[in-house]
Amino acid sequence: QVQLVESGGGSVQAGGSLRLSCAASGYSYRTMGWFRQAPGLEREGVAGIYTGGVNTLYADSVKGRFTISHDSAKNTLYLQMNSLKPEDTAMYYCAADVNVRWRLLLDPSRFAYWGQGTQVTVSS
């Protein structure tokens, strides 16, 4: 059974850091990503990765602040978030699929499997 379980969310002040984790079970996915959704807004891509290599893709809004990584031994996806801003406040979701084209890694419609989400709140 496919399962993605996120953890690591919380409340921090602007400028702080958080590290999100997503433990995957049931399958080893070639492509995974982090997405977020703030109240009243559409879900947007934050970062995506090919789990077997180093190819990554970031939204412009998080470049230089967030880092996506994957530990194949643990089958776990990470998102290191530094220099957090109030506008980063959202529910963060982990997603996975068998094979998504690199240029589409930030498109939520391309991913079939989703976690339940973890809340990130950044106060000013």
Side-chain angles (χ1 to χ4, degrees):
Q1 182 178 354
V2 173
Q3 192 172 18
L4 301 172
V5 180
E6 301 99 332
S7 61
S11 296
V12 295
Q13 290 191 329
S17 298
L18 283 173
R19 188 194 194 203
L20 304 184
S21 299
C22 172
S25 60
Y27 193 80
S28 293
Y29 306 99
R30 184 166 183 248
T31 46
M32 298 186 74
W34 287 101
F35 297 81
R36 66 187 181 187
Q37 188 167 17
L41 299 179
E42 293 186 354
R43 190 169 297 188
E44 63 174 358
V46 174
I49 189 169
Y50 278 79
T51 59
V54 298
N55 287 350
T56 58
L57 186 64
Y58 293 93
D60 289 343
S61 59
V62 305
K63 281 181 182 177
R65 301 189 297 122
F66 291 10
T67 302
I68 188 171
S69 61
H70 182 263
D71 185 330
S72 297
K74 297 181 179 179
N75 203 10
T76 299
L77 182 72
Y78 300 99
L79 185 68
Q80 178 66 44
M81 305 186 294
N82 298 328
S83 302
L84 282 161
K85 303 175 181 180
E87 50 263 44
D88 294 319
T89 295
M91 184 71 78
Y92 282 71
Y93 297 91
C94 167
D97 210 303
V98 176
N99 190 10
V100 177
R101 290 187 177 183
W102 177 79
R103 62 183 179 88
L104 297 176
L105 283 176
L106 300 184
D107 182 350
S109 71
R110 302 293 174 169
F111 289 81
Y113 306 104
W114 292 84
Q116 82 289 349
T118 186
Q119 178 68 37
V120 172
T121 302
V122 185
S123 59
S124 58

PDB file of all heavy atoms in Angstrom, residues 29-47:
ATOM      1  N   TYR A  29       9.692   5.657  -5.431  1.00  0.00           N
ATOM      2  CA  TYR A  29       9.297   6.530  -6.523  1.00  0.00           C
ATOM      3  C   TYR A  29      10.493   7.201  -7.162  1.00  0.00           C
ATOM      4  O   TYR A  29      11.436   7.582  -6.471  1.00  0.00           O
ATOM      5  CB  TYR A  29       8.340   7.604  -5.993  1.00  0.00           C
ATOM      6  CG  TYR A  29       7.163   7.022  -5.271  1.00  0.00           C
ATOM      7  CD1 TYR A  29       7.146   6.961  -3.891  1.00  0.00           C
ATOM      8  CD2 TYR A  29       6.079   6.529  -5.966  1.00  0.00           C
ATOM      9  CE1 TYR A  29       6.076   6.417  -3.212  1.00  0.00           C
ATOM     10  CE2 TYR A  29       5.002   5.987  -5.305  1.00  0.00           C
ATOM     11  CZ  TYR A  29       5.003   5.929  -3.924  1.00  0.00           C
ATOM     12  OH  TYR A  29       3.946   5.395  -3.272  1.00  0.00           O
ATOM     13  N   ARG A  30      10.438   7.386  -8.461  1.00  0.00           N
ATOM     14  CA  ARG A  30      11.528   8.049  -9.155  1.00  0.00           C
ATOM     15  C   ARG A  30      11.447   9.566  -8.992  1.00  0.00           C
ATOM     16  O   ARG A  30      12.461  10.247  -8.995  1.00  0.00           O
ATOM     17  CB  ARG A  30      11.510   7.697 -10.640  1.00  0.00           C
ATOM     18  CG  ARG A  30      12.674   8.280 -11.419  1.00  0.00           C
ATOM     19  CD  ARG A  30      12.808   7.651 -12.786  1.00  0.00           C
ATOM     20  NE  ARG A  30      13.974   8.170 -13.491  1.00  0.00           N
ATOM     21  CZ  ARG A  30      13.921   8.925 -14.561  1.00  0.00           C
ATOM     22  NH1 ARG A  30      12.761   9.251 -15.082  1.00  0.00           N
ATOM     23  NH2 ARG A  30      15.032   9.349 -15.152  1.00  0.00           N
ATOM     24  N   THR A  31      10.255  10.078  -8.846  1.00  0.00           N
ATOM     25  CA  THR A  31      10.085  11.524  -8.722  1.00  0.00           C
ATOM     26  C   THR A  31       9.232  11.856  -7.503  1.00  0.00           C
ATOM     27  O   THR A  31       8.198  11.236  -7.261  1.00  0.00           O
ATOM     28  CB  THR A  31       9.432  12.112  -9.981  1.00  0.00           C
ATOM     29  OG1 THR A  31       8.316  11.320 -10.364  1.00  0.00           O
ATOM     30  CG2 THR A  31      10.417  12.181 -11.122  1.00  0.00           C
ATOM     31  N   MET A  32       9.694  12.837  -6.746  1.00  0.00           N
ATOM     32  CA  MET A  32       8.978  13.279  -5.553  1.00  0.00           C
ATOM     33  C   MET A  32       9.047  14.798  -5.473  1.00  0.00           C
ATOM     34  O   MET A  32       9.909  15.422  -6.089  1.00  0.00           O
ATOM     35  CB  MET A  32       9.573  12.663  -4.282  1.00  0.00           C
ATOM     36  CG  MET A  32       9.494  11.143  -4.247  1.00  0.00           C
ATOM     37  SD  MET A  32      10.045  10.432  -2.688  1.00  0.00           S
ATOM     38  CE  MET A  32       8.648  10.833  -1.625  1.00  0.00           C
ATOM     39  N   GLY A  33       8.138  15.359  -4.704  1.00  0.00           N
ATOM     40  CA  GLY A  33       8.135  16.809  -4.605  1.00  0.00           C
ATOM     41  C   GLY A  33       7.449  17.306  -3.349  1.00  0.00           C
ATOM     42  O   GLY A  33       6.744  16.556  -2.658  1.00  0.00           O
ATOM     43  N   TRP A  34       7.689  18.562  -3.056  1.00  0.00           N
ATOM     44  CA  TRP A  34       7.010  19.266  -1.973  1.00  0.00           C
ATOM     45  C   TRP A  34       6.117  20.342  -2.582  1.00  0.00           C
ATOM     46  O   TRP A  34       6.543  21.083  -3.480  1.00  0.00           O
ATOM     47  CB  TRP A  34       8.014  19.914  -1.033  1.00  0.00           C
ATOM     48  CG  TRP A  34       8.738  18.945  -0.156  1.00  0.00           C
ATOM     49  CD1 TRP A  34      10.004  18.461  -0.320  1.00  0.00           C
ATOM     50  CD2 TRP A  34       8.238  18.351   1.038  1.00  0.00           C
ATOM     51  NE1 TRP A  34      10.313  17.598   0.685  1.00  0.00           N
ATOM     52  CE2 TRP A  34       9.234  17.511   1.545  1.00  0.00           C
ATOM     53  CE3 TRP A  34       7.035  18.450   1.750  1.00  0.00           C
ATOM     54  CZ2 TRP A  34       9.093  16.770   2.713  1.00  0.00           C
ATOM     55  CZ3 TRP A  34       6.880  17.714   2.904  1.00  0.00           C
ATOM     56  CH2 TRP A  34       7.898  16.891   3.379  1.00  0.00           C
ATOM     57  N   PHE A  35       4.928  20.421  -2.058  1.00  0.00           N
ATOM     58  CA  PHE A  35       3.941  21.404  -2.492  1.00  0.00           C
ATOM     59  C   PHE A  35       3.376  22.089  -1.258  1.00  0.00           C
ATOM     60  O   PHE A  35       3.485  21.578  -0.150  1.00  0.00           O
ATOM     61  CB  PHE A  35       2.824  20.727  -3.293  1.00  0.00           C
ATOM     62  CG  PHE A  35       3.318  20.083  -4.556  1.00  0.00           C
ATOM     63  CD1 PHE A  35       3.912  18.829  -4.519  1.00  0.00           C
ATOM     64  CD2 PHE A  35       3.196  20.716  -5.770  1.00  0.00           C
ATOM     65  CE1 PHE A  35       4.391  18.228  -5.684  1.00  0.00           C
ATOM     66  CE2 PHE A  35       3.664  20.129  -6.937  1.00  0.00           C
ATOM     67  CZ  PHE A  35       4.265  18.886  -6.890  1.00  0.00           C
ATOM     68  N   ARG A  36       2.747  23.237  -1.454  1.00  0.00           N
ATOM     69  CA  ARG A  36       2.137  23.924  -0.325  1.00  0.00           C
ATOM     70  C   ARG A  36       0.844  24.595  -0.763  1.00  0.00           C
ATOM     71  O   ARG A  36       0.650  24.921  -1.937  1.00  0.00           O
ATOM     72  CB  ARG A  36       3.095  24.951   0.277  1.00  0.00           C
ATOM     73  CG  ARG A  36       3.441  26.129  -0.634  1.00  0.00           C
ATOM     74  CD  ARG A  36       4.529  26.983   0.010  1.00  0.00           C
ATOM     75  NE  ARG A  36       4.878  28.137  -0.812  1.00  0.00           N
ATOM     76  CZ  ARG A  36       5.890  28.955  -0.534  1.00  0.00           C
ATOM     77  NH1 ARG A  36       6.658  28.746   0.540  1.00  0.00           N
ATOM     78  NH2 ARG A  36       6.136  29.987  -1.327  1.00  0.00           N
ATOM     79  N   GLN A  37      -0.004  24.784   0.216  1.00  0.00           N
ATOM     80  CA  GLN A  37      -1.287  25.431  -0.063  1.00  0.00           C
ATOM     81  C   GLN A  37      -1.673  26.297   1.118  1.00  0.00           C
ATOM     82  O   GLN A  37      -1.821  25.809   2.246  1.00  0.00           O
ATOM     83  CB  GLN A  37      -2.377  24.395  -0.333  1.00  0.00           C
ATOM     84  CG  GLN A  37      -3.676  24.993  -0.820  1.00  0.00           C
ATOM     85  CD  GLN A  37      -4.620  23.937  -1.370  1.00  0.00           C
ATOM     86  OE1 GLN A  37      -4.468  22.744  -1.120  1.00  0.00           O
ATOM     87  NE2 GLN A  37      -5.610  24.377  -2.148  1.00  0.00           N
ATOM     88  N   ALA A  38      -1.815  27.580   0.852  1.00  0.00           N
ATOM     89  CA  ALA A  38      -2.276  28.521   1.856  1.00  0.00           C
ATOM     90  C   ALA A  38      -3.788  28.677   1.720  1.00  0.00           C
ATOM     91  O   ALA A  38      -4.347  28.441   0.652  1.00  0.00           O
ATOM     92  CB  ALA A  38      -1.579  29.861   1.668  1.00  0.00           C
ATOM     93  N   PRO A  39      -4.466  29.079   2.791  1.00  0.00           N
ATOM     94  CA  PRO A  39      -5.930  29.229   2.739  1.00  0.00           C
ATOM     95  C   PRO A  39      -6.361  30.151   1.609  1.00  0.00           C
ATOM     96  O   PRO A  39      -5.829  31.242   1.451  1.00  0.00           O
ATOM     97  CB  PRO A  39      -6.258  29.825   4.106  1.00  0.00           C
ATOM     98  CG  PRO A  39      -5.174  29.354   4.994  1.00  0.00           C
ATOM     99  CD  PRO A  39      -3.940  29.350   4.139  1.00  0.00           C
ATOM    100  N   GLY A  40      -7.317  29.683   0.815  1.00  0.00           N
ATOM    101  CA  GLY A  40      -7.852  30.497  -0.262  1.00  0.00           C
ATOM    102  C   GLY A  40      -7.025  30.514  -1.525  1.00  0.00           C
ATOM    103  O   GLY A  40      -7.414  31.154  -2.517  1.00  0.00           O
ATOM    104  N   LEU A  41      -5.890  29.811  -1.508  1.00  0.00           N
ATOM    105  CA  LEU A  41      -5.006  29.794  -2.674  1.00  0.00           C
ATOM    106  C   LEU A  41      -4.900  28.388  -3.239  1.00  0.00           C
ATOM    107  O   LEU A  41      -5.192  27.407  -2.553  1.00  0.00           O
ATOM    108  CB  LEU A  41      -3.620  30.320  -2.303  1.00  0.00           C
ATOM    109  CG  LEU A  41      -3.544  31.752  -1.794  1.00  0.00           C
ATOM    110  CD1 LEU A  41      -2.110  32.114  -1.450  1.00  0.00           C
ATOM    111  CD2 LEU A  41      -4.130  32.730  -2.794  1.00  0.00           C
ATOM    112  N   GLU A  42      -4.446  28.308  -4.493  1.00  0.00           N
ATOM    113  CA  GLU A  42      -4.236  27.014  -5.107  1.00  0.00           C
ATOM    114  C   GLU A  42      -2.962  26.364  -4.582  1.00  0.00           C
ATOM    115  O   GLU A  42      -2.042  27.051  -4.120  1.00  0.00           O
ATOM    116  CB  GLU A  42      -4.151  27.169  -6.626  1.00  0.00           C
ATOM    117  CG  GLU A  42      -5.455  27.593  -7.286  1.00  0.00           C
ATOM    118  CD  GLU A  42      -5.363  27.595  -8.788  1.00  0.00           C
ATOM    119  OE1 GLU A  42      -4.265  27.385  -9.317  1.00  0.00           O
ATOM    120  OE2 GLU A  42      -6.401  27.822  -9.439  1.00  0.00           O
ATOM    121  N   ARG A  43      -2.923  25.052  -4.683  1.00  0.00           N
ATOM    122  CA  ARG A  43      -1.716  24.333  -4.303  1.00  0.00           C
ATOM    123  C   ARG A  43      -0.607  24.664  -5.304  1.00  0.00           C
ATOM    124  O   ARG A  43      -0.849  24.677  -6.506  1.00  0.00           O
ATOM    125  CB  ARG A  43      -1.991  22.833  -4.264  1.00  0.00           C
ATOM    126  CG  ARG A  43      -0.885  22.009  -3.651  1.00  0.00           C
ATOM    127  CD  ARG A  43      -1.333  20.584  -3.412  1.00  0.00           C
ATOM    128  NE  ARG A  43      -2.434  20.521  -2.453  1.00  0.00           N
ATOM    129  CZ  ARG A  43      -2.925  19.400  -1.947  1.00  0.00           C
ATOM    130  NH1 ARG A  43      -2.389  18.236  -2.319  1.00  0.00           N
ATOM    131  NH2 ARG A  43      -3.917  19.420  -1.096  1.00  0.00           N
ATOM    132  N   GLU A  44       0.586  24.927  -4.770  1.00  0.00           N
ATOM    133  CA  GLU A  44       1.692  25.296  -5.644  1.00  0.00           C
ATOM    134  C   GLU A  44       2.913  24.433  -5.371  1.00  0.00           C
ATOM    135  O   GLU A  44       3.130  23.982  -4.242  1.00  0.00           O
ATOM    136  CB  GLU A  44       2.067  26.769  -5.454  1.00  0.00           C
ATOM    137  CG  GLU A  44       2.568  27.119  -4.076  1.00  0.00           C
ATOM    138  CD  GLU A  44       3.065  28.560  -3.988  1.00  0.00           C
ATOM    139  OE1 GLU A  44       3.054  29.268  -5.000  1.00  0.00           O
ATOM    140  OE2 GLU A  44       3.487  28.950  -2.880  1.00  0.00           O
ATOM    141  N   GLY A  45       3.703  24.244  -6.411  1.00  0.00           N
ATOM    142  CA  GLY A  45       4.924  23.472  -6.265  1.00  0.00           C
ATOM    143  C   GLY A  45       6.003  24.279  -5.587  1.00  0.00           C
ATOM    144  O   GLY A  45       6.172  25.470  -5.874  1.00  0.00           O
ATOM    145  N   VAL A  46       6.736  23.647  -4.687  1.00  0.00           N
ATOM    146  CA  VAL A  46       7.832  24.281  -3.970  1.00  0.00           C
ATOM    147  C   VAL A  46       9.173  23.764  -4.485  1.00  0.00           C
ATOM    148  O   VAL A  46      10.057  24.539  -4.829  1.00  0.00           O
ATOM    149  CB  VAL A  46       7.707  24.024  -2.454  1.00  0.00           C
ATOM    150  CG1 VAL A  46       8.925  24.568  -1.720  1.00  0.00           C
ATOM    151  CG2 VAL A  46       6.423  24.613  -1.915  1.00  0.00           C
ATOM    152  N   ALA A  47       9.311  22.444  -4.531  1.00  0.00           N
ATOM    153  CA  ALA A  47      10.562  21.833  -4.979  1.00  0.00           C
ATOM    154  C   ALA A  47      10.290  20.401  -5.408  1.00  0.00           C
ATOM    155  O   ALA A  47       9.413  19.741  -4.852  1.00  0.00           O
ATOM    156  CB  ALA A  47      11.606  21.858  -3.876  1.00  0.00           C
TER     157      ALA A  47
END
